Structures are given as structure tokens and as C-alpha cells.
Amino acid sequence: RRLAVNAAYTRGDFYDAKRQTIRSTVTWKPSYRARFALETIYNRLERQNPNNGSSYFNETLIPRLRMNFSLSTDVFINTNFQMNTDRGTPGDTWHLRTIVSNFLLAYTMQQGHTFLVAYNALADDNFDLKGHRRMRPASQTVVAKFSYLLNL
């Protein structure tokens, strides 16, 4: 299919809290070599304290974009971009907590050997040295891997 839409709703108990999750995905394949997927995950967690009547509330919203490209039968590229947002009460505005992105280039040789290069980046809003919360690069990683298949 060139266009696919999936959705799911779940609810139930999570330890002593009530949880609701809504997940939706729209996938578009403009050609047999390319695929784009936009996914959204909404999660709501509510917990009542039986001792004093206080409650805990948390909502998270995670939009994610994935892209896959096959340059040939041996070479492909995968990318992922995700934002994690949350809010502590129903009336609050959404707060951006983290941004995660990664990129993978893979090459598979005829003998079964593979070569991979990956880049991962994380930005978050943790407190800096001055006690401020602002979006900042938290980690970046580049990994190269070569796998050799032994033909015994």
C-alpha cells in the first residue's frame, strides 16, 4: 500500500494508577525505495492517593518521524526524529523535554559482510550549571561498525 493509517487505544491499570494510551501512525511509500512514517503517542497517567486524597497526573505526547531510503539492494539509510513533551496538569501547556535524532547508513556486501555508520543526537532541558532549564545538546555519538562473516 502507498498509504497506510493505523490507530490504537489502550487503557488499564499501571501499578496503582490508571493509564490511557492513544497511538496513531501514518505511513506513506511514494516508491518501493522510500518510506515515511509519522507516529504520535499520547499517554495519560492518573493516580489517586487513598491516604490524603491528593492525586498525581502526567501526560506525555511523543511525535516521531521515520524515513527509510533504499539506495540499492545493498545500501540503505534510516533516519528518526522524535520529540518528547509532557505536562503535569490538564490545564498546563505542553513542555518540550527532549529531542532525539539519529541517522544510519548501512552497506551489505555480497559475501554477507556489513558496514554501518550511525549518528545519534540528544538534546534535553535538564538543569545547567547556573540552574536554568533550556534546551541544550546533551549527547552526540558517531559509531562505525564493520562486520566480517567468516566462511568456514
Side-chain angles (χ1 to χ4, degrees), residues 86-107:
D86 70 355
R87 63 183 176 183
T89 62
D92 285 350
T93 58
W94 291 98
H95 183 79
L96 180 62
R97 295 289 181 195
T98 59
I99 298 174
V100 180
S101 60
N102 51 46
F103 172 85
L104 172 69
L105 172 66
Y107 172 57

Side-chain angles (χ1 to χ4, degrees), residues 105 107-109 111-117 143-150:
L105 172 66
Y107 172 57
T108 304
M109 295 164 231
Q111 301 84 3
H113 315 315
T114 57
F115 178 70
L116 308 169
V117 176
V143 177
K145 177 183 173 184
F146 178 73
S147 174
Y148 186 82
L149 180 65
L150 294 175

Side-chain angles (χ1 to χ4, degrees), residues 74-91:
D74 301 330
V75 180
F76 66 88
I77 296 171
N78 290 343
T79 61
N80 182 42
F81 179 78
Q82 172 178 313
M83 297 184 305
N84 298 342
T85 60
D86 70 355
R87 63 183 176 183
T89 62

